[in-house]
Amino acid sequence: MSTEQYGKVDIRQLQLQLGEGKQRFDALQDISLTIAPGEFVCVLGPSGCGKSTLLGALAGHLPVSEGSVQVDGIPVKGPHLDRGLVFQHHTLFPWKRVLDNVAFGLKMQGISRRERYARAHEMLQLVGLADFAQSYPAHLSGGMQQRVEIARVLINHPRVMLMDEPFGALDAQTRLKMQELLLEVWARIHTTIMFITHDIDEALFLADRIIVMSPRPGRIIEELRLEFPRPRSPTLVTSPAFTELKRHCLALLHPETRVVPLSRLSPLGAANLTEIQFAI
Ligand SMILES: Nc1ncnc2c1ncn2[C@@H]1O[C@H](COP(=O)(O)OP(=O)(O)OP(=O)(O)O)[C@@H](O)[C@H]1O
Ligand SMILES: [Mg+2]
């Protein structure tokens, strides 16, 4: 099996409750979602709707109450290197050099020093940080730290990369650069990505498909398949199709406004829309 066939995600009728006793509540309700191997899916939704909870279920950090979560047909029972996580803030060891941070996962697997350094160097090259192998995390910018974080996760060849607002703490310019870099890296390694964001532009620029969630309890209210060709250029965000989809997503996230119908979309815009569950 080639690596491109790994990373199929199957979420079936997932219900997830959080809290204790009387405080217990439905965080996720009836989530069903299939992600193809190598697909790039972004999840958009209002704050508190359950995006991180969904990621937590897939990561194996949160037990599901009902339904199932599988990766490549195997039920998720707990955390595993198969599912790499990247959060808003890096989890690098401050006392280790960049090279040792990236190589750490391989060290835990008992891989020889020579091999793990060779692979860590490759990963650092992939994220454009070959010259910073000997630096310590504190001496890098926020964007560079997140690039090391991505390398640290990718060295384990995860079937799925789970990213929870990974660029949320970065300034606007760095964020755009990181989005481009992530697409370049993904084009090379083609792992499945589930990427959570508040930022509609970010989701539209990155994703093959956007999942939009309702306010708590989180349900999927719409899926948008994006047909913008790849490789995507930063000028995509100025195209009329992009703007129209952005207005549509804005309206979905702010249902007090009217949903913008997708009637005049160019063929490069969205396709295979599921029902729009708001008044048009
Ligand atoms: N461990 C927990 N126990 C109880 N409630 C929780 C727990 N974790 C999260 N919640 C609540 O569950 C709901 C969903 O939280 P979650 O963190 O998944 O939202 P989110 O969509 O990721 O929000 P944000 O966009 O602000 O990160 C929120 O109302 C939150 O307060
Ligand atoms: Mg969150």
Side-chain angles (χ1 to χ4, degrees):
M1 202 190 239
S2 87
T3 50
E4 295 205 0
Q5 288 170 292
Y6 288 123
K8 180 168 189 259
V9 175
D10 263 310
I11 301 175
R12 295 273 162 83
Q13 295 174 332
L14 169 66
Q15 315 274 350
L16 199 149
Q17 296 179 335
L18 290 174
E20 299 297 328
K22 284 191 178 153
Q23 309 292 325
R24 205 157 170 79
F25 67 96
D26 285 336
L28 298 176
Q29 229 175 39
D30 198 21
I31 304 267
S32 289
L33 175 65
T34 302
I35 305 178
E39 194 180 4
F40 198 135
V41 169
C42 283
V43 180
L44 269 177
S47 185
C49 76
K51 302 181 295 298
S52 296
T53 305
L54 179 60
L55 205 88
L58 201 44
H61 293 153
L62 295 171
V64 308
S65 307
E66 275 178 55
S68 66
V69 179
Q70 297 187 343
V71 174
D72 294 325
I74 301 163
V76 168
K77 294 229 166 76
H80 193 280
L81 289 177
D82 269 358
R83 283 157 277 125
L85 282 160
V86 180
F87 297 107
Q88 191 165 344
H89 297 286
H90 72 80
T91 59
L92 303 172
F93 299 118
W95 63 87
K96 284 186 186 289
R97 295 173 305 164
V98 161
L99 185 68
D100 289 304
N101 266 291
V102 175
F104 186 74
L106 300 184
K107 188 177 183 185
M108 290 298 96
Q109 294 172 54
I111 290 169
S112 75
R113 188 185 171 92
R114 190 191 163 102
E115 187 183 339
R116 60 181 193 256
Y117 279 174
R119 281 168 57 184
H121 272 297
E122 264 174 47
M123 283 297 145
L124 285 171
Q125 209 133 29
L126 190 68
V127 297
L129 287 178
D131 293 343
F132 293 86
Q134 306 304 326
S135 303
Y136 287 90
H139 298 152
L140 304 181
S141 70
M144 290 158 87
Q145 289 168 347
Q146 282 304 69
R147 276 146 73 187
V148 179
E149 185 78 350
I150 290 169
R152 181 189 67 73
V153 166
L154 288 180
I155 202 164
N156 300 315
H157 294 299
R159 294 177 185 219
V160 186
M161 183 144 77
L162 302 171
M163 309 185 84
D164 196 347
E165 305 197 43
F167 309 145
L170 304 175
D171 65 85
Q173 284 308 315
T174 308
R175 190 169 181 149
L176 292 177
K177 290 273 169 230
M178 290 297 290
Q179 291 163 5
E180 284 182 76
L181 176 109
L182 179 61
L183 286 185
E184 279 169 32
V185 168
W186 175 70
R188 300 268 298 275
I189 50 126
H190 232 83
T191 192
T192 306
I193 298 184
M194 187 193 257
F195 186 110
I196 285 173
T197 179
H198 278 110
D199 183 335
I200 296 173
D201 283 35
E202 184 166 71
L204 286 169
F205 182 64
L206 292 175
D208 291 321
R209 186 158 47 121
I210 297 179
I211 306 297
V212 186
M213 289 176 67
S214 68
R216 180 175 137 180
R219 289 168 296 114
I220 295 176
I221 54 169
E222 185 158 329
E223 295 188 28
L224 290 162
R225 193 171 289 282
L226 305 176
E227 309 281 346
F228 300 125
R230 297 185 189 272
R232 293 181 182 170
S233 134
T235 56
L236 172 66
V237 303
T238 60
S239 73
F242 190 98
T243 309
E244 189 169 359
L245 279 167
K246 181 174 176 177
R247 284 173 54 218
H248 180 76
C249 291
L250 267 171
L252 279 171
L253 294 178
H254 301 279
E256 67 280 7
T257 61
R258 284 163 63 82
V259 168
V260 181
L262 290 168
S263 52
R264 299 178 314 283
L265 265 189
S266 79
L268 297 185
N272 301 344
L273 286 178
T274 55
E275 285 172 67
I276 298 176
Q277 300 181 355
F278 290 90
I280 291 177

